[in-house]
């Protein structure tokens, strides 16, 4: 090396890095070294290159950036000496990847080195190519590699073979060029060449069907003979591992036989004897032998049915499973998961042992066993297995509870024979591991409870008892307070007692205690607290005797630091205050039964909405209708399932769940033929026994002001907590309040005159824009509805570049005509646009639509969005 | 498109995906990846794996599942050998491979230790190169693995 070089020796650098006490110190040393290396690179002294690169490799291993050394690799590779080339290629493999442009520059050097007279240089080039070659390099250099497969030295042949596996993987089209060369490798005696040759054949079989056929026909017998030879071979010290000759080669051969035997009875037949021999004769007291047995079992299970062999395989697995070595038990569990596909009964016999493994102290074994158990569950054993798992849930480690409870929930949901059993099991899981349970799971539980009307009383009592003991389990508390809100009267009066229940005495105060606890507990999160407020509101109507106390609790929350809580408290309080005399209890009626089908669809993640069928997404429709992709409209829900829009207007489960009980009572009240579709909370209130027009309007104004505040606060919420689910509910309720005023004025008269025709609706209204929809049906086509949308500018500013976009669920088709103009004059300027909606589920589902409106005010872009679900029924 | 899919499926199945040697303090002493990860990804991955493996005791099995890898690891004195493989790789065979690697290094260094690897990082890599290419085992004979390295040493 250059004695005049200023840089430190590699050894010294490693020593000083080792001596570092802190990460910061290490960074300092590395920074200094890197600076030296850069300087040295700039001096361009060829003697320093080797050392610089060695240092860079060390620095790279420590996890620091080393890209500036890339060109040095290329220079070293291009130099004539072997040691330089060697370190250059090593650097290339460590520091570069196939995506970098630098790699293009190395192809030429590689080509030269593949043709080098020194076979060690050829070996270096093959190794580098095998590790990093890209598709382009593979195409360029495949002929060289193909030729090298027949090189005289076996050490080159083996490297060329593995290099070829990378080439055919990168460029599958090249596979057929290698088939003949690969089959010749299978006849070799050199283990290195054999193992790589077998690997190449395996690779070719998986990417090329012709190759598979070829090897199956020509090579199966040869491979069987090779396997027999090494199985029976005399002791070879160089390859012997615990009495087995080259277990690695054994395993490779068994893997290739597996591919050849799979799906081909003749080939499978040929290999029966040798597989039986390996399965019975291999020593199983050492790891090497077990590795071979393990591979052999896998091959037996994959090839075509030879039942005597399968008995052998299952027996081996049984032996593995009862082994005391945890490694062996782990692979046994792994294999049983595959075995279940062809012999469920045999695996079921080990159920008890597998269940024991779920309780193993070793997390890896527990995880495997749990996976396996969930595959073992069927209708017959679900009750017993679930009981075992739940019993274990009580005593399991905290960090295993999440996995375990998720598995139990999915088993219970999938195989539950009856609702009461499902509810019981879920309650147990929530009690033991409620804080680990995911949202969709407890949402699903609420949906099931809502549908099991005969179990409402039983469930609310069971939940009440559970929550007294397990009040720290957040999701249990949520489900409990939801049920207490809904079915509190059943709790207090012991309604709907089942034979298996012991009667309990719960006073109204006790019920409120539980809910109040949830609000005041410091670690309750906002969703829980918000749900608790709703529950209280509902309770106060169910149990008038405690309404004063509830009012106090609600009032306290007016000072909450959580905006959502404060807002709800104020709203609920004003509802309680002002509307006592208009039978407001119907506002907080029990929830209608939640639609299971809708929930399941949504839970499965299939978004209900799809893009409307625009004729062409042409760019220059007069007002630029929907030039932007409509999919954008749906962005909101793709991320956050809680924010997902409802697909059918009636059962917007989450809004209902988290928000006020919107739009539930119109069906019962029966006072108006208003569309049940939506969120017209206040319309309902007012329609129920409105005493006088005067009172009517004042309350409406009151509510309008609340609604205004709502709007502001919800935008504030937007910025505060983008993920807060209740926010959606609030905006929806705000929208509902707006609907009231518009719904009020035109509807009575028009409904009277129009008879069977559909009343117009106000689809949307904000402080600056109002949208009205009028409907008509073309004769003879009940599925189609023509909608005339009128956009009214109610602000004092002119709107320009007005664009209306809409999206509908899959069962609807939407066609938008161009709008009459793209500008709306201030103070009442109007634009109309015709929409045609075709409802493929006419009569079953109502229309629903999401929309987005964009326009410019004084050159500034404004965007408004909303969901329209107050369409008249039957469209 | 189907070609792309097979490509993807194949790239997911390359046997050995990385080999790490880590000391008891969790410091990486050798890292060889057979797939491309960025610097940040490597650091994060190594940190997570080391934390998981070092927390386990001797009675527990030698396999840890992490993300879409299976880590097969074995401890020799103060050094952990960790090999990341695909899900369908034979775990027991990988354990045997680790042992072969250690025996090979022992044969060369004479009872290999952390410092041997630190100060002879390139040599350790050259040995690995002779044993594994592109995630597959090339050679299982210690003599064959070491002969090119010994040849080089003699030349110097």
């Amino acid at each position: 090396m250059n004695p005049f070089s200023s840089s430190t020796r590699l050894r010294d650098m490693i020593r000083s890095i080792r001596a570092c006490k802190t990460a910061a110190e290490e960074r300092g040393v590395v920074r200094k070294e890197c600076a030296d290396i850069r300087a040295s690179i700039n001096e361009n002294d060829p003697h320093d290159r080797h050392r610089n690169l060695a240092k860079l490799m060390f620095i790279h291993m420590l996890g620091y950036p080393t890209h500036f050394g890339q060109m040095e690799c290329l220079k070293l590779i291009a130099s004539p000496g072997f040691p330089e080339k060697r370190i250059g290629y090593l650097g290339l493999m460590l520091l570069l990847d196939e995506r970098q442009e630098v790699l293009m520059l190395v192809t030429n050097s590689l080509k030269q080195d593949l043709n080098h007279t020194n076979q060690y240089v050829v070996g270096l080039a093959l190794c580098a190519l095998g590790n990093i070659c890209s598709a382009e390099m593979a195409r360029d250099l495949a002929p060289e590699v193909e030729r090298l497969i027949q090189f005289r030295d076996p050490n080159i042949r083996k490297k060329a073979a593995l290099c070829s596996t990378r080439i055919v993987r990168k460029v599958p089209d090249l596979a057929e060029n290698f088939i003949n060369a690969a089959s010749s490798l299978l006849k070799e005696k050199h283990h290195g060449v054999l193992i790589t040759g077998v690997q190449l054949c395996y690779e070719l079989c998986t990417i090329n069907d012709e190759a598979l056929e070829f090897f199956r026909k020509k090579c199966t017998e040869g491979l069987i003979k090779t396997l027999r030879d090494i199985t029976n071979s005399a002791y070879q010290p160089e390859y012997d591992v615990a009495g087995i000759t080259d277990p690695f080669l054994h395993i490779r051969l068994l893997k290739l036989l597996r591919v050849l035997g799979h799906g081909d009875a003749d080939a499978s037949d040929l290999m029966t004897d040798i597989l039986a021999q390996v399965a019975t004769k291999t020593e199983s007291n050492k790891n090497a032998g077990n590795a071979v047995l393990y591979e052999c079992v896998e091959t037996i299970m994959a090839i075509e049915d030879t039942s005597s062999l399968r008995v052998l395989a299952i027996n081996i697995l049984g032996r593995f499973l009862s082994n005391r070595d945890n490694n062996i038990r782990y692979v046994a569990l792994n294999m049983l998961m595959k075995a279940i596909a062809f012999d469920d009964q045999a695996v079921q016999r080990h159920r008890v042992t597998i269940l024991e493994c779920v309780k193993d102290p070793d997390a890896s074994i527990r995880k495997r066993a749990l996976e396996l158990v969930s595959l073992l569950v069927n209708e017959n054993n679900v009750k017993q297995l679930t009981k075992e798992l739940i019993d274990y849930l009580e005593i399991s480690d905290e960090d295993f509870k999440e996995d375990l409870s998720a598995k139990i929930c999915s088993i219970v949901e999938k195989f539950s024979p009856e609702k009461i059993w499902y509810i019981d099991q879920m309650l147990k899981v929530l009690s033991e591991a409620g804080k680990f349970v995911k949202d969709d799971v407890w949402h699903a539980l609420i949906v099931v409870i809502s549908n099991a009307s005969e179990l409402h009383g039983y469930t609310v009592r069971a939940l009440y008892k559970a929550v007294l003991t397990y009040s720290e389990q957040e999701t249990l508390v949520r489900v409990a307070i939801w049920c207490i809100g809904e079915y509190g009267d059943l709790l207090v009066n012991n309604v709907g007692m089942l034979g298996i229940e012991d009667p309990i005495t719960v006073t109204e105060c006790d019920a409120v205690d539980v809910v109040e606890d949830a609000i005041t507990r410091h670690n309750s999160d906002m969703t829980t607290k918000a749900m608790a407020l709703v529950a209280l509101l509902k309770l106060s109507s169910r149990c008038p005797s405690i309404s004063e106390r509830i009012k106090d609790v609600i009032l306290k929350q007016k000072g909450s630091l959580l905006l959502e809580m404060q807002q709800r408290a104020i709203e609920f309080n004003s509802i309680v205050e002002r509307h006592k005399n208009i039978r407001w209890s119907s506002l907080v009626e029990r929830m209608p039964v939640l639609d299971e089908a809708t929930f399941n669809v949504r839970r499965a993640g299939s978004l209900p909405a799809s893009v409307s069928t625009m004729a062409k997404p042409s760019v220059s429709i007069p007002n630029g209708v929907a030039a932007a992709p409509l999919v954008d409209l749906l962005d909101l829900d793709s991320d956050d399932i809680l924010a997902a829009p409802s697909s059918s207007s009636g059962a917007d489960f989450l809004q209902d769940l988290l928000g006020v009980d919107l739009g539930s009572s119109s069906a019962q009240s029966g006072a108006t033929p208003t569309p049940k579709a939506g969120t017209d909370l206040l319309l309902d209130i007012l329609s129920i026994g409105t005493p006088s027009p005067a009172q009517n309007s004042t309350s409406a104004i009151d509510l309008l002001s609340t609604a205004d505040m709502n709007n502001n606060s919800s935008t504030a919420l937007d910025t505060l907590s983008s993920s807060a689910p209740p926010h959606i509910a609030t905006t929806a309720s705000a929208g509902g309040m707006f609907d009231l005023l518009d719904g009020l004025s035109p509807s009575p008269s028009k409904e009277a005159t129009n008879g069977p025709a559909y009343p117009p609706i106000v689809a949307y209204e904000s402080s600056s824009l109002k949208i009205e929809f009028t409907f008509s049906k073309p004769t003879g086509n009940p599925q189609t509805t023509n909608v005339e949308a009128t956009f009214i500018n109610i602000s004092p500013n002119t709107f320009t570049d007005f664009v209306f976009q809409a999206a509908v669920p899959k069962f609807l088709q939407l066609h938008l005509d161009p709008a009459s103009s793209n500008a709306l004059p201030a103070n009442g300027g109007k634009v109309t646009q015709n929409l045609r909606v075709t409802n493929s589920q006419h009569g079953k589902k109502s229309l629903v639509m999401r929309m987005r409106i964009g326009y410019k005010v004084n050159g500034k872009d404004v965007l408004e969005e909303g969901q329209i679900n107050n369409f008249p029924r039957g469209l | 498109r189907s070609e792309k899919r097979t490509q993807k499926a194949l790239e997911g199945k390359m046997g050995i995906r990385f080999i790490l040697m880590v000391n008891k303090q969790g410091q990486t002493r050798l890292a060889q990846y057979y797939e491309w990860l960025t610097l940040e990804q490597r650091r994060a991955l190594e940190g997570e794996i080391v934390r998981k493996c070092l927390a386990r005791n001797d009675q527990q099995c030698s396999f840890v599942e992490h993300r879409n890898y299976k880590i097969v690891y074995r401890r020799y004195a103060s050094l952990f050998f960790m090999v990341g493989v695909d899900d369908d790789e034979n775990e027991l065979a990988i354990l045997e491979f680790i042992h072969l690697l250690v025996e090979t290094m022992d044969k060369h260094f004479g009872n290999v230790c952390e410092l041997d690897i630190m100060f002879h990082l390139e040599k350790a890599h050259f040995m690995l190169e002779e044993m594994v290419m592109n995630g597959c085992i090339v050679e299982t004979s210690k003599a064959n693995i070491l002969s090119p390295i010994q040849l080089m040493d003699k030349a110097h």
Side-chain angles (χ1 to χ4, degrees), chain A residues 74-82 85 89 103-126 128-129 137 140-145 147-148 151 156:
Chain A
L74 299 191
K75 286 178 192 159
L76 282 165
I77 290 170
S79 60
F82 179 75
K85 274 187 189 294
Y89 275 120
L103 216 49
M104 299 274 290
L105 304 172
V106 89
T107 311
N108 207 30
S109 296
L110 274 169
K111 193 164 191 137
Q112 281 175 11
D113 286 347
L114 287 174
N115 291 305
H116 206 278
T117 47
N118 181 337
Q119 67 169 70
Y120 291 100
V121 173
V122 177
L124 286 179
L126 277 176
L129 190 63
M137 293 166 86
D140 286 347
L141 300 173
E144 267 78 15
V145 178
R147 180 174 52 77
L148 289 170
F151 198 79
I156 296 299

Side-chain angles (χ1 to χ4, degrees), chain A residues 686-701:
Chain A
L686 294 169
S687 64
I688 302 163
T690 13
S692 74
Q695 193 184 347
N696 203 343
S697 61
T698 50
S699 64
I701 289 159

Side-chain angles (χ1 to χ4, degrees), chain A residues 533-534 536-538 540-541 547 550-551 554-555 558 566-589 659-663 679-686 688 695 699 702-704 706-707 709-710 730 733-734 737:
Chain A
L533 268 190
V534 177
L536 283 177
L537 182 71
K538 292 201 165 197
S540 76
S541 85
S547 60
I550 288 176
K551 215 175 111 187
I554 291 177
L555 269 177
K558 271 175 131 173
Q566 208 183 85
Q567 182 184 337
R568 284 188 189 221
I570 291 169
E571 286 170 8
F572 292 175
N573 189 50
S574 77
I575 290 173
V576 177
E577 289 265 286
R578 291 172 208 262
H579 303 290
K580 247 182 230 158
N581 46 354
I582 54 166
R583 282 177 48 218
W584 66 278
S585 61
S586 49
L587 165 65
V588 290
E589 278 284 351
V660 194
D661 182 4
L662 303 170
T679 46
D680 301 37
L681 162 68
L682 293 167
L683 199 56
D684 283 346
I685 300 180
L686 294 169
I688 302 163
Q695 193 184 347
S699 64
D702 282 347
L703 288 159
L704 182 58
T706 334
M709 189 201 68
N710 269 342
T730 337
S733 70
M737 292 183 187

Side-chain angles (χ1 to χ4, degrees), chain A residues 400-619:
Chain A
F400 188 49
K401 280 190 174 162
E402 183 168 356
D403 282 349
L404 185 56
S405 59
K407 221 25 131 201
I408 297 174
C409 291
S410 82
I411 290 172
V412 169
E413 282 174 15
K414 201 163 153 203
F415 291 101
S416 148
E418 68 231 350
K419 278 184 174 164
I420 185 165
W421 185 82
Y422 168 85
I423 292 172
D424 281 346
Q425 308 312 309
M426 291 303 291
L427 247 60
K428 286 184 199 161
V429 174
L430 289 184
S431 302
E432 291 301 333
K435 57 186 154 206
F436 302 110
V437 170
K438 298 270 181 298
D439 281 351
D440 63 327
V441 172
W442 66 268
H443 291 170
L445 173 60
I446 286 187
V447 173
V448 171
I449 293 173
S450 153
N451 280 281
S453 56
E454 69 288 354
L455 296 174
H456 284 166
Y458 168 77
T459 308
V460 69
R461 285 187 290 274
L463 276 163
Y464 174 79
K465 279 185 273 185
V467 84
L468 291 181
T469 326
Y470 302 100
S471 59
E472 77 284 2
Q473 304 288 1
E474 188 97 40
T475 56
L476 176 75
V477 174
R478 287 186 195 166
V479 178
I481 54 183
W482 188 87
C483 286
I484 291 173
E486 293 297 321
Y487 317 120
D489 44 337
L490 309 182
L491 170 67
V492 174
N493 303 325
N494 273 331
V495 175
M497 287 285 285
L498 301 184
I500 49 169
E501 276 186 88
D502 294 325
I504 53 169
T505 321
V506 184
T507 65
E508 290 156 348
C509 268
D510 296 337
V512 177
D513 281 344
V514 168
V515 183
E516 194 184 352
D517 255 12
I519 296 183
T520 49
R521 197 175 308 115
H522 70 280
N523 55 358
S524 292
D525 80 355
M526 222 216 3
T527 308
T528 312
K529 291 185 180 192
M531 286 178 72
L533 268 190
V534 177
L536 283 177
L537 182 71
K538 292 201 165 197
L539 267 184
S540 76
S541 85
R542 311 261 194 285
C543 314
S545 63
I546 46 160
S547 60
E548 277 308 305
R549 182 176 161 207
I550 288 176
K551 215 175 111 187
D552 287 346
V553 179
I554 291 177
L555 269 177
K556 267 185 220 151
Q557 293 305 313
K558 271 175 131 173
S560 170
L561 290 176
L562 299 168
L563 198 53
E564 175 69 26
M565 293 296 284
Q566 208 183 85
Q567 182 184 337
R568 284 188 189 221
I570 291 169
E571 286 170 8
F572 292 175
N573 189 50
S574 77
I575 290 173
V576 177
E577 289 265 286
R578 291 172 208 262
H579 303 290
K580 247 182 230 158
N581 46 354
I582 54 166
R583 282 177 48 218
W584 66 278
S585 61
S586 49
L587 165 65
V588 290
E589 278 284 351
R590 190 167 292 165
M591 290 280 292
V593 170
L594 301 167
D595 183 8
E596 267 178 292
T598 316
F599 175 75
N600 289 336
V601 167
R602 187 165 332 143
R603 194 181 179 196
S606 60
L607 290 173
S610 71
V611 179
S612 67
T613 51
M614 289 282 295
K616 279 183 229 98
S618 51
V619 193

Side-chain angles (χ1 to χ4, degrees), chain A residues 229-240:
Chain A
D229 287 348
I230 66 156
T231 311
N232 299 332
S233 86
Y235 175 67
Q236 294 184 38
E238 199 43 43
Y239 292 105
D240 186 83

Side-chain angles (χ1 to χ4, degrees), chain B residues 32-96:
Chain B
Q32 170 72 60
Y33 288 82
Y34 296 96
E35 63 184 343
W36 172 253
L37 296 177
T38 66
L39 206 63
E40 292 72 31
Q41 288 169 327
R42 282 194 294 124
R43 286 190 97 146
L45 183 69
E46 285 169 27
E48 291 160 7
I49 290 172
V50 166
R51 226 171 298 129
K52 264 193 178 171
C53 292
L54 265 58
R56 294 168 63 82
N57 64 35
D58 295 346
Q59 280 81 52
Q60 295 179 323
C61 69
S62 309
F63 318 121
V64 172
E65 287 163 44
H66 182 74
R67 299 206 217 155
N68 49 346
Y69 298 106
K70 190 169 277 178
I71 321 296
V72 180
Y73 73 95
R74 197 155 172 177
R75 183 180 163 173
Y76 289 85
S78 68
L79 211 53
F80 285 84
F81 289 74
M82 301 170 177
V83 178
V85 295
D86 289 320
D87 198 43
D88 58 352
E89 199 59 29
N90 185 327
E91 297 91 345
L92 301 177
I94 297 295
L95 271 184
E96 213 51 58

Side-chain angles (χ1 to χ4, degrees), chain B residues 92-134:
Chain B
L92 301 177
I94 297 295
L95 271 184
E96 213 51 58
F97 166 78
I98 294 178
H99 194 65
L100 177 69
L101 174 62
V102 174
E103 281 185 336
T104 309
M105 289 184 156
D106 270 351
K107 196 168 173 186
H108 183 80
F109 293 114
N111 216 352
V112 66
C113 70
E114 188 184 335
L115 292 185
D116 290 326
I117 294 168
M118 278 188 90
F119 286 108
H120 303 280
L121 189 60
E122 351 166 359
K123 245 180 222 156
H125 272 292
F126 294 141
M127 276 177 224
L128 263 185
E129 255 176 40
E130 292 295 325
M131 294 178 77
V132 184
M133 248 177 82
N134 196 25

